[in-house]
Amino acid sequence: MQNYPIFIDLQDQACLMVGGGPVALRKIRLMLSAGANITVIAPILCDDLLQEFGEYITHIKRAFEDGDIQGFRLITAATNSPSVNARVSKLAQQANIPVNVVDEPALCSFITPSIIDRSPVLIAISTGGGAPVLARSLRAKIEALIPANYGKLADAMKRYRGALKAAMPDERDRRLFWDKVVQGPIAELFLSGNSQQGDEQLANSINVGVDNRLGEVWLIGAGPGDPDLLTFRALRLMQQADVVLYDRLVSPAILELTRRDADRIYVGKRRAEHALPQGDINQRLVDLANEGKNVVRLKGGDPFIFGRGGEEIELLAESGVPFQIVPGITAASGCATYAGIPLTHRDHAQSCVFVTGHLKDGTVDLNWSMLANPNQTVVIYMGLLGLPHICQQLTKHGLPSSTPIALIEQGTTENQSVYTGVLCDMPTKIKEYSIKAPTLIIIGSVVSLHESLSWFNPNKEQKRH
Ligand code: SAH
């Protein structure tokens, strides 16, 4: 190990910064957030430094002089003069004061790591000052893994340490207790920003034990297909599931990301048949939670957009089962983006409506005059079967028969296909193809942008028709 890592307490400590430019500003920002008292020696301060921290620092407005290092706990040099930087380093080291010269490892007695700040949790990464770009890239990866509210969980654990010690004298018991808390729904409450409830449940668990609790239901939007479109929260919860109930729209690649040993239950629906009636699904969620299980209910797209999410949580709410809802990228958003069709565009559409084209008694019951508006994009979910009727009604209600229309089949997946045409020819055109669900329909002049913008599609081998 080239360096010995330490975290230093700078609360109310006098620290010296030699230099007043943008590099100094970055370091000052961090040191101030660690509570340091900072003196800056520099003939001038850059505007940003002055504006952001002018009132929080002591500024000595002149060049550095040898005697300046006296009385400081920590010294940093960030001037653009190599000789000044070297001088500061030499004097500080002679006086045994830790010194850092920014980007000059040879002149440093300490170096500063790249950090991930979830205070009080702090993660530091160092490459010995030799490869800061590598440290930054590693940092970005870890940032994505550690939820933003991690610090809240750490704070709570710190607060309840004493109470737990009193209630559980055995150290091994306490460790097991914290393990369960950290991997379970109590931690999840803090991570999702619900600290008050987390606090209550933590206090309660200390009294009655962590196992005597209900399971939770997490209703998760899995997005339109590409696993990369999951949210961080969705992935985190999926990896804590005891049981997963999933739909037909949830792709195998996404299902793979749920906890390996979780039970998987298929409850998917097709247009006409229902693998499990909706009422049974609702009841199943309640029953599993009552057995103490953490239940993930995975839905395609967003649970609240043609996803019956509202119906599924009604019974949970009535039965007092704790639940969370995680939004997902809805098909309209995912498919339109991957097909290079902006849903709104200042030259084409000022509004966008999402409707369901689900057949009811052989007809599609929609407000056609509201939909037949040339300055609007209409997105139709579940509209494949009703397509001829939809095209016919829209033209009948005044939308030009030359209005562009796109069908996006299996959008965002590697099998995505985009079929474009106009209202009057699409129903006959698609007879040549055997288009399968899930398919999304987009109608409006924004569809004309598909040709020029579709190269944005990350699926390299996109099929075009
Ligand atoms: N809750 C989902 C929609 C469920 S309704 C969401 O927010 O996306 C099911 C309909 O969504 C399908 O009939 C189809 O029209 C559309 N759909 C969902 N995923 C799709 C995909 N990957 N490609 C095309 N259409 C999709």
Side-chain angles (χ1 to χ4, degrees), residues 42-103:
I44 45 166
L45 299 182
C46 70
D47 286 347
D48 290 347
L49 175 49
L50 205 56
Q51 270 167 24
E52 206 177 331
F53 298 120
E55 52 184 310
Y56 303 108
I57 56 169
T58 306
H59 180 202
I60 299 177
K61 202 172 172 179
R62 58 164 170 74
F64 173 78
E65 292 168 6
D66 285 1
D68 286 339
I69 58 153
Q70 291 312 321
F72 290 103
R73 182 91 169 80
L74 205 77
I75 297 177
T76 306
T79 78
N80 50 15
S81 155
S83 60
V84 173
N85 289 344
R87 183 80 191 145
V88 173
S89 167
K90 186 168 173 209
L91 292 168
Q93 299 205 46
Q94 276 170 0
N96 272 332
I97 305 172
V99 62
N100 177 272
V101 179
V102 180
D103 288 339

